[in-house]
Amino acid sequence: MSAVGLGIPSVAREESRAAQLGLGSDLGPAPTAGPLIDSFGRVARDLRVSLTDRCNLRCTYCMPAEGLDWMPSEDMLSVSELQRLIRVAVTMLGVREIRFTGGEPLLYARITELVAYTASLAPRPDISLTTNALGLARKAASLKAAGLDRVNVSLDTVNSRNFHTLTRRDRLSDVLAGLSAAAEAGLTPVKVNAVLQPGINDKDAADLLQFCLDNGYELRFIEQMPLDAGHGWTRDGCITAEQILHSLSERFTLSPHAERRGSAPAERFLVDGGPATVGIIASVTRPFCGDCDRTRLTADGQIRSCLFSHGETDLRALLRGAAGVPDGAEGDEILAQAWREAMWRKLPGHAINDPGFLQPSRSMSAIGG
């Protein structure tokens, strides 16, 4: 039985968008074997798995103070469903990196169990976690023992007043404790992700870099992307890569890193001659879509070929529907083929800079980073 025959919600909206861009929608059939390749030749080997849309911070650029309407628990994938899809991705589709995201993934009660399962797969993937680190001090050692390789911690400032303004929580000390615990547990390199907001923490970039240099963390600044729940993003409100580099250059000497970037999202710069580096992820002003190697699985079982996709492929429907896939090799191949077909139709880029760009209906917390 084919994936299409099982009635997966289609990628019609993506095909319509492709037609609007003059690309046409007749891409031919997707490959029926092998890895997750798209029609432009990109191969997705990095899987981002969102475990929950819930978060215990309320960052102003992500969600309102009161939070959002969270996914009902019955809509979210179970541990066994997550394990099956991760296994299919690793053993059948060539995925080599798994990153668990949220919302806040440390709020997922069985995350240690899921990490251990993922580490047991062959070939063993690289396993990482993107977190706000509020609960990391308690869990870093057990996550490392389960098989977690490293963490990315979201931290936009080390100024306690600005941290409270940005997150609406007085929890900076907990984040710093989580960072320290991650380093002590060997979840290295410990990376820090920061988003700058005009009039709040845009003057904190150099202090944050100095903090990371002093503690051996690798800092990555990220241009704010149009993925906020309130759809209030504007280009004028985005602190650009050029602005970030100018701010840092007032205190540090930055030079381009000689190492080839490849599919890594960050453009790296040596700080004061190295070896320490700082990275800029310029998704808005310097898109790197042509080298993208990511595929995404949401907490409710949807495959997204891009953060900015307007269509999804519903693997949960395959797992649970009346005509759902059987257990075993035959069913796993149906899941794999549905995933291949979803990625085959990936667009050439996110089109943020096109006049007709539309922000996806899901916010970042519901998609996963």
Side-chain angles (χ1 to χ4, degrees):
M1 184 182 299
S2 71
V4 173
L6 284 169
I8 305 173
S10 72
V11 290
R13 282 181 293 179
E14 293 294 84
E15 292 181 342
S16 174
R17 189 168 159 224
Q20 292 171 3
L21 292 172
L23 301 173
S25 59
D26 185 11
L27 303 177
T32 57
L36 294 169
I37 189 170
D38 66 36
S39 64
F40 298 93
R42 295 167 296 190
V43 179
R45 301 191 184 280
D46 181 341
L47 169 60
R48 309 295 171 96
V49 180
S50 176
L51 299 180
T52 178
D53 61 335
R54 297 174 184 268
C55 189
N56 41 12
L57 294 180
R58 295 292 182 271
C59 295
T60 57
Y61 56 81
C62 185
M63 66 176 68
E66 65 274 15
L68 299 168
D69 293 329
W70 310 121
M71 293 178 189
S73 58
E74 61 271 18
D75 288 352
M76 297 171 64
L77 295 176
S78 67
V79 170
S80 61
E81 289 170 335
L82 280 166
Q83 289 174 340
R84 186 178 186 185
L85 293 178
I86 290 170
R87 176 172 50 78
V88 166
V90 171
T91 65
M92 300 178 66
L93 295 173
V95 165
R96 295 295 174 260
E97 299 180 44
I98 305 286
R99 180 178 297 185
F100 294 111
T101 70
E104 174 44 53
L106 293 183
L107 295 178
Y108 187 76
R110 299 175 68 178
I111 185 169
T112 304
E113 175 185 348
L114 192 57
V115 167
Y117 174 82
T118 304
S120 73
L121 296 173
R124 184 196 188 282
D126 178 81
I127 309 169
S128 60
L129 176 77
T130 295
T131 174
N132 62 29
L134 292 192
L136 190 55
R138 298 189 305 274
K139 297 182 178 180
S142 60
L143 286 168
K144 177 64 176 180
L148 188 67
D149 294 306
R150 56 185 178 82
V151 293
N152 285 44
V153 173
S154 300
L155 175 63
D156 304 320
T157 179
V158 286
N159 178 299
S160 59
R161 182 181 66 254
N162 291 346
F163 181 91
H164 186 273
T165 299
L166 280 166
T167 67
R168 303 186 178 101
R169 300 289 188 272
D170 186 18
R171 302 291 299 275
L172 177 59
S173 61
D174 294 314
V175 177
L176 300 183
L179 280 164
S180 179
E184 184 176 349
L187 294 170
T188 53
V190 175
K191 296 184 179 181
V192 172
N193 297 337
V195 176
L196 299 180
Q197 294 289 287
I200 303 178
N201 66 329
D202 52 333
K203 306 300 184 185
D204 296 348
D207 288 341
L208 183 57
L209 176 54
Q210 188 62 62
F211 166 78
C212 290
L213 294 174
D214 291 344
N215 289 278
Y217 308 143
E218 295 186 12
L219 177 60
R220 302 288 185 266
F221 288 100
I222 305 173
E223 289 182 341
Q224 185 191 354
M225 294 175 281
L227 290 165
D228 57 304
H231 290 208
W233 180 91
T234 63
R235 182 172 296 278
D236 291 342
C238 173
I239 304 295
T240 67
E242 287 299 325
Q243 292 171 306
I244 295 168
L245 290 170
H246 176 76
S247 177
L248 295 177
S249 295
E250 293 179 350
R251 192 183 305 183
F252 305 96
T253 299
L254 304 180
S255 55
H257 201 290
E259 186 176 310
R260 185 176 177 274
R261 178 176 173 179
S263 61
E267 183 180 0
R268 292 196 297 159
F269 298 86
L270 297 172
V271 180
D272 294 336
T277 65
V278 64
I280 310 287
I281 300 177
S283 302
V284 177
T285 63
R286 302 178 184 178
F288 42 89
C289 301
D291 293 315
C292 181
D293 67 345
R294 282 166 288 287
T295 182
R296 288 176 166 83
L297 175 64
T298 66
D300 56 349
Q302 311 300 307
I303 292 298
R304 297 177 66 90
S305 62
C306 172
L307 270 173
F308 297 95
S309 293
H310 285 270
E312 299 176 332
T313 295
D314 190 351
L315 296 189
R316 186 189 63 191
L318 287 180
L319 291 167
R320 299 182 183 178
V325 299
D327 290 332
E330 179 185 354
D332 287 352
E333 181 51 47
I334 292 171
L335 292 167
Q337 188 57 28
W339 209 325
R340 291 187 191 102
E341 291 172 5
M343 296 305 297
W344 178 246
R345 292 170 174 82
K346 183 174 181 173
L347 296 179
H350 54 45
I352 289 176
N353 297 304
D354 292 347
F357 172 77
L358 293 175
Q359 182 173 335
S361 57
R362 288 203 198 223
S363 65
M364 176 65 92
S365 65
I367 297 172

